[in-house]
């Protein structure tokens, strides 16, 4: 699958001829200042939870592209009330068949609120089954044994985990998470954006290698194939 990385936890994959974007936070990220959000393609936008650093650019990109915004019911309600026309609810435990494949939502262990302070429900992640490959994006989360449920549902080509620690899993727990979901290839996200989640990336890559896993850390704006 082709992956485009836009910084922080924002990335997109191309599957079934569709551009699937996750957690767009770009215009508020100084590290992503060279990314033009008006050039980002999106047919779907998956939102893991309501925090500012995951939803900032959802409305702008959705309104420009007509992309379907997918999230738990509170996310569905929030963006519907903002006038976004194409929104679909998907709560943890549920699955939906889209034209690119099947998406299933899994619980994440993390806090959640919208930028205005209102209730944002629970945080979640998503596993996608497509003809082009299968992936799991955990969203912001701590390590949880519930991740083993992902491996029961789908054979993964790769997983996407936060590795910045403090607010989410760090490298050690992300390695354990990869084992739980049975993924030997991991895209690392949610690191370096803010002072308290800066990490030693070279050391992180080495730790994954020592565990027999491959950690991908593309540059912001870089496209890679996994």
């Amino acid at each position: 699958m082709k992956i485009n990385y836009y910084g922080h936890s924002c990335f997109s994959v191309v599957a079934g001829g569709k551009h699937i974007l996750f957690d767009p936070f770009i215009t508020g990220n100084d590290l992503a200042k060279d990314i033009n959000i008006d050039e980002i393609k999106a047919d779907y936008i998956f939102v893991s939870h309501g925090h500012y650093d995951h939803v900032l650019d959802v409305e702008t990109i959705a309104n420009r592209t007509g992309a379907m915004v997918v999230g738990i019911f509170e996310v569905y309600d929030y963006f519907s009330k903002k006038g976004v026309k194409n929104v679909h609810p998907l709560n943890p435990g549920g699955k939906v068949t889209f034209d690119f494949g099947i998406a299933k939502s899994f619980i994440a262990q993390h806090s959640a609120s919208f930028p205005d302070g209102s209730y944002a429900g629970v945080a979640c992640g998503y596993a996608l089954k497509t003809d082009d490959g299968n992936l799991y994006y955990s969203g912001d989360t701590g390590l949880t044994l519930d991740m083993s449920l992902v491996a029961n549902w789908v054979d993964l080509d790769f997983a996407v985990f936060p590795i910045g620690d403090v607010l989410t899993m760090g490298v050690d727990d992300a390695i354990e998470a990869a084992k739980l979901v049975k993924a030997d290839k991991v895209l690392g996200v949610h690191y370096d954006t803010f002072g308290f989640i800066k990490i030693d990336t070279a050391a992180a890559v080495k730790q994954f290698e020592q565990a027999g896993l491959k950690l991908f850390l593309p540059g912001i704006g870089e496209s890679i194939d996994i």
Side-chain angles (χ1 to χ4, degrees):
M1 301 177 91
K2 180 172 287 296
I3 299 169
N4 297 293
Y5 182 56
Y6 298 112
H8 199 51
S9 292
C10 182
F11 65 98
S12 70
V13 298
V14 180
K18 303 297 180 181
H19 291 83
I20 306 166
L21 182 67
F22 294 83
D23 285 353
F25 169 71
I26 300 162
T27 58
N29 181 1
D30 288 342
L31 300 179
K33 62 183 182 300
D34 294 328
I35 302 295
N36 182 356
I37 66 169
D38 291 332
E39 296 177 351
I40 292 176
K41 296 178 180 179
D43 298 294
Y44 293 86
I45 301 173
F46 279 78
V47 178
S48 67
H49 65 292
H51 281 161
Y52 168 81
D53 59 327
H54 294 259
V55 303
L56 179 63
D57 297 312
V58 169
E59 189 177 354
T60 299
I61 296 173
N63 287 340
R64 175 179 59 82
T65 62
M68 176 181 287
V69 177
V70 181
I72 67 165
F73 186 82
E74 285 76 9
V75 167
Y76 164 83
D77 188 54
Y78 179 81
F79 285 108
S80 294
K81 288 177 177 176
K82 282 183 165 292
V84 176
K85 302 299 183 183
N86 197 6
V87 191
H88 200 294
L90 181 56
N91 270 26
K95 63 180 181 297
V96 179
T97 298
F98 296 112
D99 54 4
F100 64 81
I102 304 172
K104 185 175 175 66
S105 178
F106 292 86
I107 195 68
Q109 296 297 327
H110 191 67
S111 57
S113 60
F114 290 115
D116 61 8
S118 61
Y119 176 66
V122 298
C124 67
Y126 302 98
L128 273 55
K129 286 183 180 178
T130 83
D131 288 341
D132 295 317
N134 305 322
L135 71 96
Y136 168 56
Y137 169 47
S138 70
D140 280 10
T141 188
L143 177 65
T144 169
L145 292 175
D146 287 340
M147 291 174 177
S148 63
L149 298 174
V150 177
N152 290 344
W153 185 70
V154 63
D155 293 326
L156 294 173
D157 293 288
F158 69 96
V160 183
F161 292 130
I163 58 172
D165 220 329
V166 183
L167 301 176
T168 67
M169 295 187 293
V171 171
D172 292 344
D173 282 353
I175 288 171
E176 293 305 310
K179 295 175 183 177
L180 284 174
V181 303
K182 299 180 180 178
D184 59 4
K185 298 181 180 67
V186 172
L187 174 67
V189 298
H190 206 280
Y191 67 95
D192 281 2
T193 315
F194 315 116
F196 39 81
I197 60 170
K198 289 187 180 298
I199 67 169
D200 183 334
T201 54
V205 170
K206 185 175 181 179
Q207 277 186 259
F208 269 79
E209 287 179 350
Q210 290 172 339
L213 306 170
K214 173 68 174 177
L215 178 64
F216 294 83
L217 298 177
I220 295 175
E222 184 179 351
S223 297
I224 62 172
D225 292 309
I226 295 182

